[in-house]
Amino acid sequence: MEEVDPSNFASETSFFIEVEEVLQLISSLSLDENSTNLLVGDSALARLRVVFDKYLECPSLLDPHLEKIVTLLSSNAVRIAHEFYNIRMDDISNVVMIRFDEKETQKLRNLKRILSAIYSISKVRGRKHVQKFLTHDVSDVEPILHALRILENLPEENEIDAECKNWESIYIILVWIGMLSLVPFDLNTIDSSIEHTRGITSEDGNHPTLISSMIMTTRKHLADSGPTREAASYSLSSLLSRPDLEQLELEDFVLFSNSVLKDYLVSEGMLGSLHSATSIFLVMGVVQTLAAIFKTGSRSNLIYRHLKYVEQIWEQAILVADKASAKQEAGQLCNAGGALLLRKLLAKLFARVGCSYLPPRVAKWRYQRGRRSLLENLSSSETVHNSSSKSYPSVQHEQGGEKGDTLDLFAVPDQVEDSMAQLIKSLTDPATTVRWSAAKGIGRVTERLPAVCADDVLDAILDLCTDYENDSAWHGACLSLAELSRRGLLLPERLKEVVPIVIRAIQYDVPRGQHSVGAHVRDAACYTCWAFARAYDPCVLEPFIPALSRGIIIASIFDREINCRRAASAAFQECVGRQGADKFKHGISILTAADYFTLGNRNDAYTSVAHYVAGFEEYRQPIIRHLYEDKLFHWDKDIRYLTSISLGGLVTLDHVFFIETVLPYLIKFCTHDNLFVRHGAVLGVGEVVLAVYMETDSNILIPEHLLAPISQLVFSIEKARLYRGRGGEIMRSATSRLIECIAMSHLPMTTKQQIGLLDSLDVNLRHPNDEIQKAAAKALYAITRSYFPVGENGPSDRLHSRLVQKYINAIRTEDNPACTRGYSLAIGCLPSKLLAPNHSVLDSVLECLFYAAHHSTLVGGQSDAETRRNAIESLSRIIKTVGIGSPSEHIADYPTVPLEFNQVNRIFHALFEALEDYNMDRRGDVGSWSRIAAMLSLEKLVLLATEASEIPHCSRIIPPTGHSNIMPPQVSSLEKRFAALQFGTVNSKMSSNCMDIGNKENPLIFFTEDLCTKTVGALLKQLSEKLDVIRNQAGISLRRILTSDNPHVPFVYGRQNLIDSLSLRKGQDINWANPEYTFPLVMRAIDLDEYFDDILSGIVISVGGLTESVAKSSSKSFLEYLRALKKMKLVGKISKVGHGIIRLFDMHSKDVRVILPLLVTVDKVLSHGFFDDILHSDENNFADELSKRVRKEASKCTDLKRLTVIVAVALNLLHSNKVDTKTTICIFLMKLLAHRFPRVRSHTAEQLYVKLIEDASVIPHPVDLNAAQKLLSETAWDRDLGAPHHIRLKRNTVSEYLGITLSEKDLQENVKAKASTKAKDDFASYASLVHSL
């Protein structure tokens, strides 16, 4: 049996699916020298970039093929570099302009593409992973360095490839030189460049060696502002870290670095100096190189051999850091650009220099957890305890051994103390990257210090976690604590000080104006908890587990930020897995409920997840206390609202605690001076009161001593005038919610208190804020149903006038839009006992809402969209509240009347009128709000009216023989339905049921065939229009009406055709807002005669609209429909479309909203020739009718857009076969040539000239077409009509050339101006004033 290579089943190899394509593209990068297609290599490189960029999020997938790809690319690059090196171009560094022949130019292109390809891989996978696969033969050193010189001295006109950037090539070669500098030979032994670099001299006048050339070349790039600086730093540090270069070259570089830092400090003192702006990049390059040298170089050489120079650099680096800190404290922009990166590099340098002064060994005193087993952690508590007891004494032994071990006690150099001081200062830096770098540096330095010194470091870190420090200090401290614990440097005996600070950091949140800071601190604190779980034995953390678990769980559920909730969940998961499931009670169950996805939704976290976790007794009280003591007073009002909802849901778990503790606590804060506190307290009281009465047993009530303050709470807030000033609006919403909760809880209230609450709601209803009005309306809905009882004769006159009549009068007479909006919304929230005690009251309510909902109604002399929308929503609620045919809220204690047929019919027509609301204001199409509300109301009304009607609902009608494909599956009219039932064309069982209902003497009918047709047609019209939100709602409502089974809506004309055309099958979701999907479906239903005009009136608005996506999709669908009709020669249907457009002109004459898109639609159809059959027909009068409408729309029109489209439509009408129509249009065009607007004259002349060139036969009786064309093209038609340009006379000449006879009125040049009716003011000028003096 053959052995199977396991590497063939590696999962990584199957994910880099483009590997074969990449290898082919690499071969295309290098073109032949004689190749003429220069774009092949560029396209190959562009494709490589696209392929590699796909793996930016998971670059490790490239690893199985990375060596092969990089080796192939680097070998090709080395080959080209050797070819250039063999040319031996003399004095290459001093040549200003390098000239290449064609072959060399092609080679240079190939080299740059290859290097750019390597850079694209390095960008994705990282420099460190790519550089190790670059070729590093000894023979490659000089050719690669030579190639770098060529690229450095490449002139700008030789930037021949836009795809491959020169800096990318330089970056890769610098990285390559860094790898080549590690060759295990003395560089002097491979130096052969002296004889070929005669023009290059060093400072002492000698020819540079290979070493000096490499150092000078790389050092030059330390001042670059881009990624090449990083590559140069790496390359230079690799060179200077070689044993054969540390003696001389390192010392020179240290002196150079010292001078650079000194110059920078001097230049920083000169404000506005150009040198200061440019030298910062060189400083960053030097500091980055020094940090790399201290990381890879020999410690003995750096500290002992070059101690004097290192101390100089150290002093300069501290001064630079102090300068940056001073700028930070002064509030300057220290986070911008290079300053931030410089501080990060300085933090790295401080850490590495500090480590260099310490022994290179890990301290023996550090805590080591020892062997860890996840299986043991998840096993029984006894097993875990036994394993823990075995490991913990080793910790004590190590600590005891450290006390008697004198080898760990040594003198710490002062430089280490300075280094640690700078690192701790960097922990408070405003930049996260600087703090993170400093935290890692502190960990590295601390693990080499004695235990006593490490203890001092911990004390310094803990000093940052005070109320006097800012969020940056807390964040840096948390990161440092995590690093110390991960490295075992935070000993167990210090945990009692550290854990409380970390728990405080988990809840760190400091308000700052309209936002807060602290999310990054909480995230870092969760990371610290995660590090604790991994670092310590379960017996070490056991005393702190209850506090840690409560803090982590609370943060995972209730933190405002999603990343913090998920970070806390990850920390809790680590704790359960590492410390043992028995330590963290119910850990597995909680992790199952509070996972990554459920915590992603904040609403679910506050409601469902919180309720589940609070079900465990260990976490119930901490969660409840955190909610009502902390989160309920959060600065974010959304958090306060969610907290109140969460508190209400937790009442069932411990209602006694809520009644005895939570409610008294919150009541005393309801009038607090702090807005956040009082707002949260009011919300919390309302939700808790409601939950107590709704979720507990009826015998559990709120004590009497709490009922009085709760009942008086709203009045106390008003007495304290807490509605005024900042935050008054959200307090109004909160009190409205409190009133709603009190009413739903049926708390005992006196009549005076009831009236007072009602007065408060009326004030809120008149508030201009929409949210306040909605909250007040909800509260009104609850309070009018819980209180204000009525007798057998209905509501009293006082109650009727206080509510119903007051709202009706306000809606009809108020000039304040806020009043009409609020009362229009409120009247629909009243109960049936007030709305419908008799038909007279119900009629007055409906008439008031009909008036308010009509699109022509004005409020204070202006149109108000919110009033109309609210009135329509109230109509919808009244339909449900009052009921149709029988009372919906019927209670035996008082009488109510339902809606009658006439009332239902009037509601239908009011909603149809609302669907014609296209009012506009500065906010756009605000009429769409009314149309959306009307569609929702129509849907509800149709279903309720159908359900209330005694109509036989037959699910299947058997069609006559031979007509199965013609008749719809339902009979459309009521008379035909009864006839079909009598003739037995339906299923016998269904027939008997239907006949039983139909034989009633007076069947209740609230929904007729005419109403059904109008409803479906109106929805189809909205489905064809241009607004996405309108189409979406129309599609949803139409689908529910057509596919409803309970009740089944009758009388739908062509139901099955509509369902098939619009794909309204159940279970199929349709995005009606997508125009590309919706309009083709709509055009499939246009052949249904009953809905033809509705669909046509909607589609023309979309075709001629301004929204590009809608106009494009609708035009495509409409024109394809007409193209199909023309191809099938269905002239009758084309004529039907044309005359439908004529009817639209008549219905919307002078209506800008419709006429402009209608004209655009007609122009598109005429331009495509789809109306040619009816234009050329002598029997069809479409051309004459359209000509009349176009001329009518042009009369007295001042809209340039409409006039421009009218010209286009008129020119298309010249293709009519009727001479009279052509003559009429020609006269009309001649009038436009003398229009009062110059742009109209110019546009008409231009378009007429183009039309005459295209087809001269459009003019019935031309005299001299060439002369007319010449005059049209040479005349400046935008000049004055009269003298001195006489444009009207030239127009008359054009009409003579075209054989067009104009009337005497049109031929007159002098037009009398209208006499001015304004009297001359004798004091209108300054001259008259002087003359009078």
Side-chain angles (χ1 to χ4, degrees), residues 9-27:
F9 296 95
S11 61
E12 291 85 358
T13 59
S14 62
F15 290 105
F16 187 24
I17 58 177
E18 298 93 348
V19 58
E20 297 298 333
E21 180 187 2
V22 167
L23 295 177
Q24 293 178 1
L25 292 171
I26 290 175
S27 62

Side-chain angles (χ1 to χ4, degrees), residues 168-238:
E168 296 176 348
S169 304
I170 294 175
Y171 175 87
I172 293 300
I173 290 186
L174 286 171
V175 173
W176 208 335
I177 290 175
M179 281 299 298
L180 291 173
S181 64
L182 300 178
V183 294
F185 303 101
D186 191 344
L187 292 180
N188 291 323
T189 62
I190 60 175
D191 186 1
S192 61
S193 61
I194 297 177
E195 58 181 313
H196 301 290
T197 55
R198 295 187 298 271
I200 307 175
T201 59
S202 60
E203 295 178 359
D204 56 1
N206 298 322
H207 292 291
T209 62
L210 175 62
I211 296 173
S212 61
S213 299
M214 295 175 70
I215 292 177
M216 286 191 298
T217 304
T218 53
R219 199 171 74 178
K220 181 171 60 176
H221 290 281
L222 291 180
D224 291 352
S225 59
T228 53
R229 183 184 64 253
E230 177 186 353
S233 299
Y234 159 73
S235 178
L236 192 56
S237 64
S238 298

Side-chain angles (χ1 to χ4, degrees), residues 956-959 976-992 995:
R956 181 176 178 83
I957 300 292
I958 303 176
K976 292 181 180 179
R977 184 184 291 275
F978 282 132
L981 292 173
Q982 292 175 0
F983 283 103
T985 59
V986 296
N987 181 279
S988 59
K989 182 177 179 180
M990 293 297 299
S991 176
S992 61
M995 288 301 295

Side-chain angles (χ1 to χ4, degrees), residues 182 311 741:
L182 300 178
E311 289 179 351
C741 294

Side-chain angles (χ1 to χ4, degrees), residues 455-466:
D455 214 39
D456 295 337
V457 172
L458 180 59
D459 290 335
I461 294 174
L462 295 181
D463 289 340
L464 298 177
C465 299
T466 62

Side-chain angles (χ1 to χ4, degrees), residues 842-1026:
L842 183 57
D843 283 338
S844 63
V845 171
L846 292 178
E847 286 295 334
C848 172
L849 292 178
F850 294 157
Y851 166 79
H854 199 272
H855 53 81
S856 63
T857 302
L858 301 179
V859 178
Q862 295 182 350
S863 176
D864 189 64
E866 287 86 349
T867 299
R868 298 193 299 271
R869 179 199 61 198
N870 292 348
I872 296 169
E873 292 177 356
S874 292
L875 281 175
S876 177
R877 293 193 188 96
I878 289 175
I879 296 168
K880 183 68 175 178
T881 301
V882 176
I884 300 176
S886 60
S888 178
E889 295 183 355
H890 178 69
I891 299 178
D893 295 341
Y894 53 83
T896 58
V897 295
L899 291 169
E900 295 181 336
F901 174 77
N902 291 334
Q903 294 169 331
V904 172
N905 192 48
R906 291 167 63 193
I907 294 175
F908 266 111
H909 286 85
L911 295 179
F912 294 149
E913 287 289 335
L915 287 175
E916 298 298 324
D917 187 352
Y918 292 93
N919 285 290
M920 304 278 292
D921 64 11
R922 56 184 176 83
R923 296 170 292 182
D925 186 4
V926 293
S928 61
W929 303 343
S930 298
R931 301 202 298 277
I932 292 175
M935 286 186 282
L936 289 169
S937 302
L938 266 180
E939 174 192 336
K940 183 185 297 184
L941 181 58
V942 166
L943 296 179
L944 290 176
T946 302
E947 188 176 4
S949 300
E950 297 178 354
I951 302 175
H953 307 297
C954 300
S955 61
R956 181 176 178 83
I957 300 292
I958 303 176
T961 305
H963 299 278
S964 59
N965 295 328
I966 298 176
M967 289 189 64
Q970 294 87 13
V971 180
S972 59
S973 67
L974 184 63
E975 293 80 5
K976 292 181 180 179
R977 184 184 291 275
F978 282 132
L981 292 173
Q982 292 175 0
F983 283 103
T985 59
V986 296
N987 181 279
S988 59
K989 182 177 179 180
M990 293 297 299
S991 176
S992 61
N993 292 338
C994 295
M995 288 301 295
D996 291 342
I997 301 174
N999 286 332
K1000 291 184 177 182
E1001 295 182 0
N1002 297 309
L1004 294 175
I1005 304 297
F1006 297 96
F1007 189 59
T1008 63
E1009 181 180 0
D1010 180 60
L1011 290 176
C1012 181
T1013 303
K1014 288 183 177 179
T1015 299
V1016 176
L1019 292 176
L1020 285 171
K1021 177 185 176 183
Q1022 300 299 320
L1023 188 61
S1024 310
E1025 292 205 353
K1026 58 184 179 180

